[in-house]
Structures are given as C-alpha cells and as structure tokens.
Amino acid sequence: MNGLIKLPVESGARRLVLIEIVLPVVLLVLGIYAGLLQVLFRAGVIQAAEFGGWEYYQGLTLHGVVNAVVFTTFFAVAFGNALVPYALGMRLPLRWAWVSAGMMIAGTLMAAWAILAGKASVLYTFYPPLMAHPLFYIGAALLIVGSWIAFFNWIPLYRRWRREHPGEKTPLAVVGIFATFIVWLIATIAVAIEVVVLLIPWSLGWTQEVNVPLARMLFWFFGHPLVYFWLLPAYTMYYTMLPRLAGGKLYSDKVGRLVFILLILFSIPVGAHHQYTEPVISSSAKLLHAFLTFAVALPSLITAFTLAASLEYGARQRGARGLFDWIVKQPFFSMDAWLFSYLIAGLIIFIMGGISGIINASYSMNVVVHNTSWIPGHFHLTVAGPVLLAFLGMSLHLLVSYSGKQLRLKRWAVAVPYLWLVGVFIFSWGMMRGGLHGEPRRSNLGMSYLNPDSPFYHPEWKLFVTVTMIGGIIMTLAMILYFAVFFTTALSRRSGEAAAEFPLSEAYHDEPAGALANFRPWLIAAVILIAIAYTPMVRDVLRGTFNTAPGYEPHNPAPVQQMEGELDTPTVEPE
Ligand code: HAS
C-alpha cells in the first residue's frame, strides 16, 4: 500500500521477527499435511496403516499442537515484537527478546520430538489420563514462559512511552496486543500449575495417579481464554488496519478499546462451557459460566457492527450509493491492498463461527453437539477462519516488509483466502451435519467409520465424511498456494530497504478514552469475576469422589488389554 509510514528496523530485530515468522510457517506444512490425512482417513480413503507412519492420535496431536498452539503463539509474539515498537515509535530491546525466542524454539523442538517419536499422542488438550513423555510437558512450559518474556520485554518500553507522552491515548494497536497478552498471562498461570504440579511429576513416575477433574478444570481455565488469545491479534488487525485497507476509517476508537477491555473481563471465567457434560462440577457453577459465555459473545457482536460501519464508510468514500452497494464495493481483489482479502474472508467465515459458538454455549443445545464432529466444524470456522487467515496475511506482510522483498505470485496470494473460505465452509458443513447425526468428534479405533469391520461402521455418515473430505482437500490446495507464495517470496532477491510499516487507520469518532484509558481497574474487575466464577468449581472438584486415575498411553497396548478384559463393547476413547 502507498503512503504508509515506514520506520527503519535494526538488523537484530529484523532477524528476530523473520525467524519467529518463518519457523512456524515451516512447521505449518507438517500441521496441514496431518489435517489432510485426517479427512482422508475419516472418509475411508486411506487406512490406519497409510497414515503417514503415524498412529491416529499422534497425527491428530501433531495437527492440533502445530496449528493451534505453536503457529499461533509464535505469530502473536512476532506480531507484538513488530507492532508494539512501531506503534510507540521506539526500538525493541533485543536481549530479552532473543531469550524469549530461544526458549520458545527449544520448547517447540522438545515437544515436536516427543510427538514425532510417538511418545505424546495426547492431543492439544493433553487431558489426563492420556499421558505424554515429560519432554512434551516441559517443552510446552518453555514455549509459554518464552512468550511471557516477550510480553514483559514490552512493558518498560510502554512505561517509557507514557512518561514521554503524558496525557496521550495509548495507541489502539498497543491496547490490542497488551489485551492479548494479559489474557494469555492470566490463563497460562492455570495451565502452568496443571503441568508443573500435576502432569510432570505424574509423567516422571513420581506420583502414580492424577486428579482428572482438577486437571481438566485447570486446562479449561486456560483453554477458553486460549481461543481469545488467538482471536485478539486478529481483532487488533481488524480494528487498527482493516478500515484503512478498505479505504476508510475506524468507525469508533472508543468502541475498539471497549471491546478489548470486555474481552479481558469475560474471556476467562467461562471454562465450564467445555465441561457441561462432566460430572463433579455442579449445575449452578455451569449455569454461571453459561451466562458469562453469552457475555463473552457481546464484544464480538459489537465488533460485527463497528466493522460493518467502518467498511461502509470506506466504500461510501469510493462512491457507493444506496443500501447495499457498499457491500459489493469492497476492495475484495485489490492487488495493492492484498491484506484486505485475508481479513475480509476471515470475517465472513466468523459470522458462521460466531453463530455456532452461541449454539454451543446453550446448555441444552450443547448436550446435542458436545463431543460430536459438530465441534471441529465450529472451531474451523473460528480459529481456522478469522484467526488463521489474519495470521497468514500478516505473516506475509511481515515477511515482505522485514525482508525488503516484493510479494511474489500476488494473484495467488489474493486467491488463497477465498479458496480457503470455500473449503472451510464445505468442510464445516460436513462436520456439523455429521455431528448432528451422531458422528463422533474423534475415535481411536484404527479404522474409518466406512470400514465394515469397524465397531463404529456407519454407512449413513458417508455423505458427511465425503463432503468433509472435499472441503479438506480444497483447504489443502489453498495452503499449497499459500506456501508457494510465502516461500517464493522468502527465497527471492531483496529489492528494497527492510522497514516496519503497518496500514494503521485513523478513527472517524476519536473520543477521549475516559474510563477505558487505564488497564488497572479492569484487571482488578477481571480477577474478582474469575474468583466468583471459579470458587464454586474449585470447591466441587476438591469434593469430587471419582477424581484420580492411572495414566493411559494410546500407543501402549498394556492398558488397552486391561480395558478389553473389563469391557464387552469398544467405547469412544476419552477426550
Ligand atoms: Fe468456541 C468450543 C462457544 C468463539 C474456538 N471453540 C470451541 C473449541 C475451539 C473453539 C477450539 O459454549 C473446541 C475446544 C475443544 O478442543 O474441545 N465459542 C463459543 C462462543 C464464542 C466462541 C460463545 N471459539 C470461539 C472463537 C474461537 C473458538 C473466537 C477461536 C478463535 N466454543 C464455545 C463452546 C464450546 C466451544 C460452548 C464447547 C463446545 C463443546 O461442547 O465442546 C463467541 O465468542 C462467538 C462470538 C462471535 C460472534 C460473531 C461476530 C461476527 C463478526 C463478523 C462480522 C462480519 C463482518 C463482515 C463485519 C457473535 C465479528 C461483513 C461482510 C462484508 C462482505 C461487508
């Protein structure tokens, strides 16, 4: 885009951001391949033996951990390392930034080894009693602590900026990134307790059993805000960049701040909506979390209207007339503002992702869809919709600006998000319809549902698993195009000076931030809300009677034989 403010970046910062962007995109190749295998396997096109040499849970773990945890965490840190100094007009302090990157890379390599060696087939939720090799948990802990260090490294920078700019509003982009990492910091404290106190000693054999309900509660204390940790960087792009890419202004700066603060308030005390069907937790605690889940949808509803108003304003500047002309007058295929295509395609997908989320949140509807393939249908419309596309678009943008290279294969780059949109809608339709017909979310029986020898033989699901597979193949094609664009650009010659540049928007209504100017009171309110929502759950979990279990490893036949002796019919594996 023309007319952007370019700020020079020193070579250390340039190298750091490029490593944090390129490494996860390389790993994403593996994650996407594992996803393709899943749809082919579910549709009965390949059998367990052809599963890339992996076991079913191993492939699914790789898919979830690489795509949803490693790629997203690296991206959020790289994006913050680039955007925070840019928006504040300062230099990134490099020493701790490198320590953070080093820890994240070491942690990723440890966890990747454990997964690829078949010693950590525990999925991205690593629910006990599924047990992983200690290096998987230690690797996850390093990745998380590394990302905390990146955040702590921005705080002195921000403090200095505040001293030097008294009375000025914190740039909205910085508010967005700080909201992302405040949510992350609070949420990861719970998973750190789970991993360090419960899982590492258990996987090292120092303790024989683990308190399953307690571990699950701690996981979901983290697991729900995790999804907003994914969403918030995308929201930062929507609020601070999308309006300018659309040729207009953000409709209201204050609403952007309100949305970020509301997400800090409500994204944590809602974990029980993942546990509606679990015993031990009382229904009153679940009800409270259900109400709060509706509250967490509110900032996204506000976002829908604010962004629509911003897009409409931009289109009217370019001559749109009447009621609906502004919708078609968006720069969907602009080669100049190509990042727009990634953001708008994600937003369109999120309309369906949001509706399905609100369905999940209702207790009675959740009982119908929980643990069925409806749920992956929902989350591919959210994390693999607005989040993935915004992250892919911004990764390309950072690659181009931080390397001083030109974007190659531009037409393909613009086609990727729309191809992905078509693929993910088809995929999710298959998954969600299948889920409504009872198709499980996952099973570890080594056979597809279309194999007559499978205890889960369900020929009536053929339509759904086949549609899912078609969607999955289209999504894979979109990603092949993306990788072609990304690596062709990365390997091309440098054509200009590397510099930081972001298409930051002005606001149409640029009011003073008022009560939203300071994070502190909202942080206190968030902690109080968490205490109210989680005290009854902690009480329930500590009172629960069925609370400890020995470890179970899907690739280790011993516990399975033991189970076979005890059970007449095969069952769905634990989540
Ligand atoms: Fe969710 C399960 C409820 C949002 C991800 N969710 C999951 C899981 C994942 C996930 C990964 O209540 C599975 C976890 C697992 O492994 O078990 N979710 C919600 C609700 C929301 C929601 C109420 N989820 C997300 C987001 C995610 C995500 C965001 C990732 C980033 N979810 C649930 C529940 C479960 C669940 C239950 C448990 C289910 C179970 O039983 O296991 C809300 O935040 C959604 C609010 C969103 C909206 C949409 C606003 C629309 C916008 C687009 C506007 C478009 C415009 C474009 C302007 C209200 C902002 C205009 C177009 C033009 C062309 C001009």
Side-chain angles (χ1 to χ4, degrees):
M1 264 193 103
N2 299 325
L4 299 188
I5 298 175
K6 289 192 181 200
L7 295 183
V9 230
E10 53 185 312
S11 64
R14 210 168 62 77
R15 234 176 295 133
L16 175 87
V17 169
L18 285 174
I19 289 174
E20 288 173 344
I21 287 295
V22 174
L23 180 81
V25 173
V26 171
L27 285 174
L28 203 56
V29 176
L30 210 58
I32 294 291
Y33 174 61
L36 176 66
L37 291 180
Q38 289 295 322
V39 287
L40 295 178
F41 178 71
R42 287 178 88 95
V45 172
I46 58 168
Q47 300 305 320
E50 298 157 316
F51 211 75
W54 299 324
E55 177 269 334
Y56 172 83
Y57 262 31
Q58 188 185 9
L60 196 51
T61 305
L62 196 67
H63 179 60
V65 170
V66 168
N67 297 4
V69 182
V70 175
F71 173 66
T72 51
T73 308
F74 268 91
F75 174 83
V77 167
F79 187 42
N81 275 338
L83 188 60
V84 171
Y86 178 87
L88 298 177
M90 295 172 132
R91 281 178 167 207
L92 179 72
L94 281 175
R95 187 151 38 105
W96 285 104
W98 279 113
V99 173
S100 133
M103 286 177 78
M104 288 170 64
I105 293 170
T108 301
L109 293 177
M110 282 182 195
W113 172 82
I115 299 172
L116 290 170
K119 294 178 188 298
S121 301
V122 290
L123 310 176
Y124 89 102
T125 40
F126 49 86
Y127 262 11
L130 290 178
M131 187 198 264
H133 190 280
L135 276 186
F136 175 82
Y137 301 120
I138 296 170
L142 278 177
L143 179 73
I144 289 173
V145 176
S147 67
W148 288 351
I149 292 175
F151 177 38
F152 298 149
N153 195 34
W154 305 326
I155 294 175
L157 207 64
Y158 173 60
R159 287 232 171 97
R160 211 175 82 215
W161 181 90
R162 285 206 81 146
R163 279 196 304 276
E164 291 171 9
H165 299 79
E168 272 184 43
K169 272 198 294 190
T170 305
L172 188 57
V174 176
V175 176
I177 297 289
F178 275 31
T180 308
F181 277 84
I182 288 171
V183 166
W184 179 240
L185 187 64
I186 301 177
T188 44
I189 290 171
V191 82
I193 296 172
E194 183 197 0
V195 167
V196 174
V197 179
L198 299 180
L199 301 184
I200 293 180
W202 176 58
S203 68
L204 286 167
W206 298 345
T207 53
Q208 293 312 308
E209 296 200 322
V210 73
N211 183 329
V212 171
L214 177 61
R216 287 186 183 220
M217 186 200 74
L218 289 170
F219 180 83
W220 285 117
F221 183 106
F222 154 79
H224 193 78
L226 169 70
V227 315
Y228 294 100
F229 168 71
W230 298 333
L231 189 67
L232 274 159
Y235 270 24
T236 305
M237 289 176 234
Y238 289 154
Y239 275 96
T240 65
M241 299 175 204
L242 178 74
R244 174 151 181 188
L245 293 165
K249 294 181 178 182
L250 171 63
Y251 188 69
S252 164
D253 172 87
K254 198 165 184 176
V255 167
R257 287 167 204 271
L258 175 68
V259 162
F260 290 132
I261 295 287
L262 288 178
L263 284 171
I264 294 179
L265 266 182
F266 293 121
S267 63
I268 298 162
V270 294
H273 74 223
H274 294 267
Q275 300 183 282
Y276 285 151
T277 56
E278 289 188 20
V280 179
I281 303 164
S282 61
S283 39
S284 54
K286 290 174 183 168
L287 182 70
L288 178 59
H289 282 235
F291 285 139
L292 290 167
T293 304
F294 288 111
V296 81
L298 195 68
S300 292
L301 284 169
I302 298 174
T303 299
F305 289 103
T306 313
L307 295 184
S310 311
L311 292 171
E312 179 180 352
Y313 175 79
R316 293 206 186 280
Q317 298 306 299
R318 293 191 311 277
R321 302 266 171 274
L323 266 185
F324 299 111
D325 196 24
W326 66 272
I327 297 178
V328 288
K329 281 246 161 59
Q330 298 301 325
F332 291 110
F333 298 101
S334 163
M335 292 292 146
D336 188 26
W338 54 265
L339 184 55
F340 180 83
S341 58
Y342 286 79
L343 300 185
I344 194 74
L347 267 186
I348 295 170
I349 297 172
F350 195 38
I351 297 173
M352 301 316 290
I355 294 172
S356 54
I358 292 170
I359 291 171
N360 299 344
S362 324
Y363 185 83
S364 47
M365 304 287 267
N366 184 278
V367 175
V368 178
V369 297
H370 180 68
N371 225 6
T372 71
S373 58
W374 168 284
I375 303 300
H378 159 67
F379 68 67
H380 282 81
L381 294 169
T382 50
V383 63
V387 173
L388 177 78
L389 288 178
F391 286 18
L392 291 180
M394 184 48 67
S395 296
L396 264 185
H397 176 83
L398 288 173
L399 175 71
V400 168
S401 49
Y402 271 64
S403 65
K405 296 176 178 176
Q406 291 285 327
L407 179 66
R408 301 291 157 144
L409 308 175
K410 236 183 197 178
R411 280 175 203 282
W412 288 16
V414 173
V416 166
Y418 301 114
L419 193 58
W420 180 269
L421 177 147
V422 171
V424 89
F425 274 150
I426 296 175
F427 168 92
S428 288
W429 184 89
M431 283 299 224
M432 293 171 109
R433 284 305 296 262
L436 294 178
H437 286 258
E439 185 188 331
R441 171 177 176 165
R442 41 173 106 98
S443 76
N444 192 22
L445 295 167
M447 281 175 249
S448 106
Y449 310 128
L450 301 184
N451 185 335
D453 298 330
S454 165
F456 264 124
Y457 177 52
H458 272 285
E460 70 274 21
W461 293 338
K462 185 167 184 164
L463 172 68
F464 311 125
V465 288
T466 309
V467 170
T468 300
M469 180 187 68
I470 294 169
I473 291 173
I474 298 174
M475 289 155 79
T476 310
L477 288 177
M479 284 308 296
I480 291 172
L481 289 191
Y482 179 82
F483 292 132
V485 174
F486 188 91
F487 293 114
T488 312
T489 304
L491 298 173
S492 64
R493 276 176 192 280
R494 209 165 140 170
S495 56
E497 271 310 298
E501 50 176 341
F502 290 99
L504 294 184
S505 313
E506 286 173 41
Y508 183 76
H509 291 286
D510 200 3
E511 314 89 339
L516 302 170
N518 193 342
F519 280 116
R520 199 166 297 141
W522 302 105
L523 268 175
I524 295 170
V527 172
I528 294 172
L529 206 54
I530 292 169
I532 294 173
Y534 268 97
T535 306
M537 270 183 76
V538 173
R539 181 207 56 203
D540 293 342
V541 164
L542 294 181
R543 273 192 199 159
T545 35
F546 305 102
N547 52 12
T548 60
Y552 169 73
E553 295 168 71
H555 55 272
N556 178 357
V560 178
Q561 279 158 9
Q562 202 183 330
M563 279 173 68
E564 274 168 1
E566 291 163 9
L567 300 170
D568 294 338
T569 48
T571 55
V572 183
E573 298 300 339
E575 279 183 277

